[in-house]
Amino acid sequence: MRTLDLIACLTPALLSVACAGDIQSGDHESAQPLHASAERVLAFVGGQWFTGTAFEERTAFAVDGVLTFMQPARVDSTIHLAGGYVVPPFGDAHNHNVEHSSRIMATIEQYLRDGVFYVKNPNNLPRTRHPLDGTINVPTSMDVAFANGGLTAPDGHPIPLVRRNIERGIWTEVDGEGAFYFVVDEEEDLDRIWLRVLEDRPDFLKTYLLYSEDYARRVDDPAFFGWKGLDPTLLPEIVRRAHDAGLRVSTHVETATDFHHALVAGVDEIAHMPGFRGNAQVQLPDPSIFEISEADARMASHLGTVVVTTVGGVRGMDPRGPDGSLRRQFDRLHTRNLRLLSEHSVRLALGSDDYGDTSVGEAMYLHSLGVFDNLAMLKLWSEATPQAIFPERALGCLQEGCEASFLVLRGDPLADFGHVRDIVLRVKQGQILSSPVSE
Ligand SMILES: [Zn+2]
């Protein structure tokens, strides 16, 4: 049995060399961005473990990738955590940037470095997903759930994006209808597309509502190209079929009315807070159309519907710059809606929808609004979000039998939330990850 001492690792540059580097195995696939140990039973001593409400000093073991607090018969290595603070890894419940591209290895590195191990991609091109098999969704890498193509109206969101990519020569026509999106104009269309939807084996189903209060006017008006979504009266039938197929349904919303329609249709998740990006001009001339009603907050709580935030996009607007007053309007709207949902104990998940980032920026923006204290933020990012992404798995927890996946932080995130950025050790399903890049 060998002993590793995390005190030596507290100099971040040493992380890969002095610590996890010592116990690398040589037989991992080169496609995997990080190296990991192959030892089956690890003991972690001297760490402060997050209990869901506070930190407690405990000795924990990873046995075949599962967390236990009971002393196993044999221990391969003991890792001293030097008083570090152990939390579950973070999640991003809305990001489209995990797809096959020349940047993918750097993207995965970034997620693991940020401690964001779980991602939900709520609309992707199926052909950019399958080349990632073996590179993601393995113990040494991040785990991602994919929606594949979403269901939308003719000329609805996100069809303009597809048109642009075809014009630029990045995609071809076969990447449009039937791949990146499915057009549903009436119920009969569901019979036409359904087998094709299931054939690509989505992990969940993505649907689009945009200004559904205005559906009848927008449906045939080309002026609203990309700013329309499904007929809201079709959504309950889509949810019924998806649930029959064992798929959870996530619905894109823009307005408070979309939020309402998604709830009454019985969707499992609402992707975005109403008003996350304002109107088509990124303005908020009438914020009231984005204000969630008290009755809907109560209904979301009652139904257990998950609401994914994606509000941090506004942090590009400098509150002291020319966009200052607009930024304050967005901050006020998001604060109001988040406070209402949190008062009604609605299930929230943190999602960024930020192609250039992981969910770190979203977490910092949410923290800055002051709606959630450090404990609520930690629970949202490390418990509720991973559980919303992989509801069937024992993750987002540090109890007996949970997956042995966690981050060790140098300082107490309940005292200073900034410590979530100071990760000294990453463990995924019982494997110590060591990043080859300097931190
Ligand atoms: Zn999105």
Side-chain angles (χ1 to χ4, degrees):
M1 188 184 97
R2 285 179 296 120
T3 295
L4 298 169
D5 199 333
L6 191 64
I7 293 169
C9 315
L10 287 176
T11 306
L14 292 178
L15 178 62
S16 61
V17 182
C19 307
D22 280 351
I23 54 170
Q24 282 174 17
S25 67
D27 58 354
H28 38 264
E29 287 180 30
S30 57
Q32 291 170 7
L34 296 192
H35 304 294
S37 69
E39 289 173 327
R40 313 279 298 268
V41 183
L42 301 176
F44 298 90
V45 301
Q48 311 277 331
W49 291 72
F50 186 52
T51 62
T53 49
F55 285 91
E56 225 171 63
E57 184 164 349
R58 308 189 74 175
T59 294
F61 305 90
V63 180
D64 292 336
V66 176
L67 196 64
T68 178
F69 295 93
M70 291 180 286
Q71 175 81 44
R74 187 197 88 219
V75 169
D76 295 321
S77 284
T78 297
I79 294 100
H80 292 269
L81 300 183
Y85 291 78
V86 188
V87 299
F90 309 128
D92 188 341
H94 192 136
N95 208 318
H96 302 278
N97 64 5
V98 188
E99 59 179 359
H100 187 63
S101 75
S102 55
R103 292 183 306 276
I104 185 60
M105 297 316 277
T107 301
I108 295 172
E109 276 284 334
Q110 184 67 45
Y111 274 106
L112 295 175
R113 192 166 34 209
D114 287 348
V116 180
F117 288 4
Y118 313 108
V119 171
K120 199 165 188 178
N121 186 336
N123 210 127
N124 57 282
L125 201 52
R127 71 170 169 85
T128 65
R129 161 194 181 169
H130 298 300
L132 299 180
D133 290 349
T135 303
I136 56 169
N137 294 322
V138 292
T140 48
S141 186
M142 61 191 300
D143 294 338
V144 186
F146 293 93
N148 297 335
L151 275 53
T152 190
D155 286 344
H157 180 67
I159 295 175
L161 176 136
V162 176
R163 302 310 326 164
R164 271 199 308 278
N165 282 347
I166 292 174
E167 279 156 27
R168 287 177 191 155
I170 307 167
W171 290 1
T172 66
E173 290 294 337
V174 297
D175 294 326
E177 163 83 47
F180 195 74
Y181 65 88
F182 295 90
V183 165
V184 179
D185 196 16
E186 49 192 9
E187 199 171 317
E188 288 66 47
D189 292 329
L190 292 172
D191 299 326
R192 180 177 52 81
I193 67 163
W194 202 249
L195 278 180
R196 181 86 187 84
V197 168
L198 298 185
E199 215 171 67
D200 273 327
R201 304 174 67 90
D203 296 311
F204 63 102
L205 190 70
K206 178 68 177 290
T207 53
Y208 289 90
L209 292 181
L210 290 90
Y211 293 85
S212 50
E213 59 271 45
D214 202 22
Y215 171 78
R217 188 167 72 96
R218 292 186 179 217
V219 61
D220 292 319
D221 187 341
F224 294 101
F225 181 50
W227 283 89
K228 52 182 122 179
L230 294 164
D231 177 347
T233 65
L234 294 178
L235 195 53
E237 174 59 15
I238 294 170
V239 171
R240 192 190 64 74
R241 292 187 189 215
H243 285 176
D244 278 354
L247 293 172
R248 293 165 62 84
V249 179
S250 180
T251 301
H252 170 112
V253 303
E254 297 281 340
T255 66
T257 307
D258 296 334
F259 187 93
H260 175 78
H261 284 144
L263 279 181
V264 297
V267 308
D268 304 280
E269 180 180 274
I270 293 177
H272 304 301
M273 296 276 288
F276 70 102
R277 58 174 172 174
N279 66 10
Q281 290 75 43
V282 200
Q283 300 285 325
L284 289 171
D286 177 11
S288 71
I289 67 168
F290 303 120
E291 291 177 357
I292 298 167
S293 75
E294 177 120 24
D296 282 346
R298 211 175 295 119
M299 184 172 11
S301 174
H302 175 73
L303 294 171
T305 316
V306 174
V307 180
V308 181
T309 57
T310 76
V311 287
V314 302
R315 70 191 191 281
M317 300 174 187
D318 179 357
R320 288 166 301 279
D323 292 332
S325 74
L326 181 60
R327 165 66 189 268
R328 283 188 292 279
Q329 264 190 301
F330 272 109
D331 288 353
R332 261 199 306 280
L333 172 70
H334 298 327
T335 301
R336 177 211 176 272
N337 279 339
L338 287 166
R339 191 162 281 150
L340 178 74
L341 296 181
S342 126
E343 278 164 8
H344 286 276
S345 310
V346 174
R347 290 183 62 193
L348 294 171
L350 190 150
S352 70
D353 200 12
D354 186 343
Y355 201 88
D357 192 16
T358 66
S359 52
V360 167
E362 178 79 12
M364 295 307 156
Y365 174 72
L366 285 175
H367 185 254
S368 77
L369 290 179
V371 175
F372 307 106
D373 62 15
N374 294 348
L375 175 63
M377 277 302 307
L378 183 62
K379 290 177 76 67
L380 171 62
W381 201 15
S382 73
E383 294 181 346
T385 302
Q387 287 161 6
I389 299 170
F390 291 107
E392 315 295 335
R393 286 169 59 179
L395 44 66
C397 56
L398 297 176
Q399 275 89 52
E400 185 75 26
C402 294
E403 292 184 16
S405 301
F406 51 84
L407 310 170
V408 183
L409 311 179
R410 192 191 306 266
D412 181 355
L414 300 184
D416 174 356
F417 190 66
H419 287 304
V420 295
R421 301 290 284 129
D422 197 358
I423 303 169
V424 292
L425 190 72
R426 297 156 183 82
V427 177
K428 174 122 185 306
Q429 289 165 294
Q431 308 225 29
I432 294 178
L433 306 183
S434 78
S435 167
V437 296
S438 58
E439 308 202 20

Tab-separated table of all heavy atoms in Angstrom, residues 239-266:
chain	number	residue	atom	x	y	z
A	239	VAL	N	-45.381	15.231	-24.882
A	239	VAL	CA	-44.918	14.770	-23.569
A	239	VAL	C	-45.409	13.347	-23.313
A	239	VAL	O	-44.662	12.494	-22.821
A	239	VAL	CB	-45.405	15.740	-22.454
A	239	VAL	CG1	-45.121	15.165	-21.071
A	239	VAL	CG2	-44.746	17.107	-22.600
A	240	ARG	N	-46.668	13.082	-23.692
A	240	ARG	CA	-47.224	11.753	-23.464
A	240	ARG	C	-46.420	10.690	-24.221
A	240	ARG	O	-46.023	9.672	-23.668
A	240	ARG	CB	-48.689	11.718	-23.914
A	240	ARG	CG	-49.461	10.488	-23.463
A	240	ARG	CD	-50.835	10.369	-24.121
A	240	ARG	NE	-50.766	10.188	-25.577
A	240	ARG	CZ	-50.404	9.062	-26.178
A	240	ARG	NH1	-50.082	7.989	-25.465
A	240	ARG	NH2	-50.365	8.999	-27.494
A	241	ARG	N	-46.152	10.980	-25.507
A	241	ARG	CA	-45.387	10.005	-26.308
A	241	ARG	C	-43.967	9.837	-25.781
A	241	ARG	O	-43.428	8.733	-25.760
A	241	ARG	CB	-45.325	10.457	-27.782
A	241	ARG	CG	-46.673	10.408	-28.461
A	241	ARG	CD	-46.512	10.707	-29.949
A	241	ARG	NE	-47.829	10.869	-30.574
A	241	ARG	CZ	-48.113	10.484	-31.815
A	241	ARG	NH1	-47.175	9.938	-32.560
A	241	ARG	NH2	-49.317	10.668	-32.309
A	242	ALA	N	-43.355	10.948	-25.385
A	242	ALA	CA	-41.970	10.877	-24.881
A	242	ALA	C	-41.921	10.053	-23.598
A	242	ALA	O	-41.058	9.185	-23.436
A	242	ALA	CB	-41.429	12.283	-24.641
A	243	HIS	N	-42.863	10.320	-22.713
A	243	HIS	CA	-42.873	9.571	-21.451
A	243	HIS	C	-43.112	8.084	-21.706
A	243	HIS	O	-42.523	7.234	-21.040
A	243	HIS	CB	-43.914	10.148	-20.495
A	243	HIS	CG	-43.474	11.453	-19.884
A	243	HIS	ND1	-44.269	12.197	-19.056
A	243	HIS	CD2	-42.300	12.154	-19.983
A	243	HIS	CE1	-43.619	13.292	-18.668
A	243	HIS	NE2	-42.433	13.289	-19.221
A	244	ASP	N	-43.978	7.769	-22.684
A	244	ASP	CA	-44.194	6.362	-23.055
A	244	ASP	C	-42.898	5.708	-23.515
A	244	ASP	O	-42.694	4.506	-23.332
A	244	ASP	CB	-45.222	6.254	-24.192
A	244	ASP	CG	-46.646	6.326	-23.661
A	244	ASP	OD1	-46.804	6.345	-22.420
A	244	ASP	OD2	-47.587	6.385	-24.483
A	245	ALA	N	-42.042	6.515	-24.148
A	245	ALA	CA	-40.764	5.991	-24.658
A	245	ALA	C	-39.666	6.088	-23.603
A	245	ALA	O	-38.496	5.819	-23.884
A	245	ALA	CB	-40.354	6.756	-25.912
A	246	GLY	N	-40.035	6.520	-22.386
A	246	GLY	CA	-39.046	6.609	-21.305
A	246	GLY	C	-38.153	7.833	-21.396
A	246	GLY	O	-37.075	7.863	-20.805
A	247	LEU	N	-38.606	8.849	-22.146
A	247	LEU	CA	-37.792	10.057	-22.296
A	247	LEU	C	-38.371	11.215	-21.497
A	247	LEU	O	-39.577	11.474	-21.551
A	247	LEU	CB	-37.743	10.486	-23.774
A	247	LEU	CG	-37.016	9.565	-24.737
A	247	LEU	CD1	-37.240	10.045	-26.172
A	247	LEU	CD2	-35.515	9.534	-24.420
A	248	ARG	N	-37.508	11.915	-20.788
A	248	ARG	CA	-37.926	13.143	-20.133
A	248	ARG	C	-37.948	14.257	-21.166
A	248	ARG	O	-37.253	14.211	-22.174
A	248	ARG	CB	-36.956	13.491	-18.991
A	248	ARG	CG	-37.021	12.483	-17.836
A	248	ARG	CD	-35.844	12.620	-16.914
A	248	ARG	NE	-35.791	13.935	-16.287
A	248	ARG	CZ	-36.468	14.281	-15.193
A	248	ARG	NH1	-37.259	13.400	-14.603
A	248	ARG	NH2	-36.348	15.487	-14.687
A	249	VAL	N	-38.778	15.269	-20.923
A	249	VAL	CA	-38.950	16.353	-21.896
A	249	VAL	C	-38.465	17.671	-21.312
A	249	VAL	O	-38.804	18.035	-20.188
A	249	VAL	CB	-40.433	16.493	-22.314
A	249	VAL	CG1	-40.604	17.636	-23.315
A	249	VAL	CG2	-40.942	15.186	-22.902
A	250	SER	N	-37.664	18.359	-22.110
A	250	SER	CA	-37.158	19.667	-21.735
A	250	SER	C	-37.720	20.678	-22.732
A	250	SER	O	-37.734	20.414	-23.933
A	250	SER	CB	-35.633	19.638	-21.808
A	250	SER	OG	-35.099	20.879	-21.446
A	251	THR	N	-38.209	21.807	-22.248
A	251	THR	CA	-38.832	22.787	-23.134
A	251	THR	C	-38.164	24.152	-23.035
A	251	THR	O	-38.057	24.725	-21.945
A	251	THR	CB	-40.340	22.927	-22.817
A	251	THR	OG1	-40.957	21.657	-22.991
A	251	THR	CG2	-41.011	23.934	-23.735
A	252	HIS	N	-37.735	24.633	-24.190
A	252	HIS	CA	-37.206	25.997	-24.295
A	252	HIS	C	-38.364	26.973	-24.125
A	252	HIS	O	-39.408	26.790	-24.730
A	252	HIS	CB	-36.577	26.146	-25.693
A	252	HIS	CG	-36.187	27.537	-26.074
A	252	HIS	ND1	-34.872	27.925	-26.221
A	252	HIS	CD2	-36.930	28.643	-26.363
A	252	HIS	CE1	-34.827	29.198	-26.574
A	252	HIS	NE2	-36.059	29.665	-26.673
A	253	VAL	N	-38.175	28.007	-23.310
A	253	VAL	CA	-39.202	29.041	-23.168
A	253	VAL	C	-38.583	30.422	-23.335
A	253	VAL	O	-37.382	30.596	-23.139
A	253	VAL	CB	-39.914	28.985	-21.790
A	253	VAL	CG1	-40.534	27.616	-21.544
A	253	VAL	CG2	-38.973	29.364	-20.658
A	254	GLU	N	-39.426	31.373	-23.718
A	254	GLU	CA	-39.012	32.782	-23.780
A	254	GLU	C	-39.803	33.618	-22.779
A	254	GLU	O	-39.247	34.468	-22.112
A	254	GLU	CB	-39.244	33.351	-25.192
A	254	GLU	CG	-38.445	32.686	-26.286
A	254	GLU	CD	-36.989	33.141	-26.368
A	254	GLU	OE1	-36.656	34.231	-25.844
A	254	GLU	OE2	-36.185	32.399	-26.973
A	255	THR	N	-41.110	33.379	-22.724
A	255	THR	CA	-41.982	34.250	-21.929
A	255	THR	C	-42.614	33.490	-20.761
A	255	THR	O	-42.561	32.259	-20.687
A	255	THR	CB	-43.137	34.804	-22.793
A	255	THR	OG1	-43.978	33.696	-23.179
A	255	THR	CG2	-42.625	35.522	-24.028
A	256	ALA	N	-43.269	34.251	-19.894
A	256	ALA	CA	-43.965	33.649	-18.761
A	256	ALA	C	-45.128	32.777	-19.241
A	256	ALA	O	-45.485	31.786	-18.591
A	256	ALA	CB	-44.468	34.733	-17.811
A	257	THR	N	-45.717	33.128	-20.401
A	257	THR	CA	-46.804	32.296	-20.944
A	257	THR	C	-46.252	30.962	-21.445
A	257	THR	O	-46.878	29.909	-21.254
A	257	THR	CB	-47.542	33.034	-22.083
A	257	THR	OG1	-47.947	34.310	-21.599
A	257	THR	CG2	-48.757	32.257	-22.548
A	258	ASP	N	-45.063	30.990	-22.071
A	258	ASP	CA	-44.425	29.727	-22.470
A	258	ASP	C	-44.181	28.855	-21.233
A	258	ASP	O	-44.386	27.634	-21.260
A	258	ASP	CB	-43.059	29.981	-23.136
A	258	ASP	CG	-43.162	30.761	-24.440
A	258	ASP	OD1	-44.215	30.697	-25.095
A	258	ASP	OD2	-42.165	31.431	-24.787
A	259	PHE	N	-43.708	29.501	-20.186
A	259	PHE	CA	-43.435	28.799	-18.930
A	259	PHE	C	-44.712	28.104	-18.454
A	259	PHE	O	-44.699	26.919	-18.082
A	259	PHE	CB	-42.938	29.828	-17.906
A	259	PHE	CG	-42.447	29.266	-16.601
A	259	PHE	CD1	-41.102	28.976	-16.407
A	259	PHE	CD2	-43.322	29.062	-15.537
A	259	PHE	CE1	-40.635	28.478	-15.195
A	259	PHE	CE2	-42.869	28.562	-14.320
A	259	PHE	CZ	-41.523	28.268	-14.151
A	260	HIS	N	-45.821	28.835	-18.504
A	260	HIS	CA	-47.110	28.277	-18.085
A	260	HIS	C	-47.515	27.094	-18.971
A	260	HIS	O	-47.910	26.035	-18.465
A	260	HIS	CB	-48.182	29.372	-18.121
A	260	HIS	CG	-49.554	28.873	-17.814
A	260	HIS	ND1	-49.976	28.608	-16.524
A	260	HIS	CD2	-50.597	28.531	-18.635
A	260	HIS	CE1	-51.216	28.154	-16.555
A	260	HIS	NE2	-51.619	28.095	-17.819
A	261	HIS	N	-47.421	27.288	-20.298
A	261	HIS	CA	-47.814	26.209	-21.224
A	261	HIS	C	-46.956	24.953	-21.022
A	261	HIS	O	-47.443	23.829	-21.128
A	261	HIS	CB	-47.723	26.683	-22.683
A	261	HIS	CG	-48.859	27.575	-23.080
A	261	HIS	ND1	-48.705	28.652	-23.938
A	261	HIS	CD2	-50.171	27.579	-22.733
A	261	HIS	CE1	-49.877	29.263	-24.103
A	261	HIS	NE2	-50.779	28.625	-23.377
A	262	ALA	N	-45.663	25.156	-20.771
A	262	ALA	CA	-44.775	24.008	-20.550
A	262	ALA	C	-45.191	23.250	-19.288
A	262	ALA	O	-45.257	22.021	-19.270
A	262	ALA	CB	-43.326	24.480	-20.441
A	263	LEU	N	-45.514	24.013	-18.246
A	263	LEU	CA	-45.928	23.381	-16.982
A	263	LEU	C	-47.184	22.551	-17.153
A	263	LEU	O	-47.230	21.387	-16.739
A	263	LEU	CB	-46.230	24.462	-15.936
A	263	LEU	CG	-45.084	25.100	-15.173
A	263	LEU	CD1	-45.666	26.109	-14.192
A	263	LEU	CD2	-44.252	24.056	-14.456
A	264	VAL	N	-48.208	23.158	-17.762
A	264	VAL	CA	-49.491	22.440	-17.853
A	264	VAL	C	-49.386	21.256	-18.810
A	264	VAL	O	-50.156	20.301	-18.713
A	264	VAL	CB	-50.687	23.362	-18.231
A	264	VAL	CG1	-50.913	24.414	-17.160
A	264	VAL	CG2	-50.490	24.009	-19.590
A	265	ALA	N	-48.408	21.298	-19.736
A	265	ALA	CA	-48.209	20.154	-20.634
A	265	ALA	C	-47.517	19.000	-19.905
A	265	ALA	O	-47.428	17.895	-20.438
A	265	ALA	CB	-47.386	20.567	-21.851
A	266	GLY	N	-46.968	19.280	-18.725
A	266	GLY	CA	-46.340	18.209	-17.937
A	266	GLY	C	-44.887	17.944	-18.302
A	266	GLY	O	-44.386	16.841	-18.073
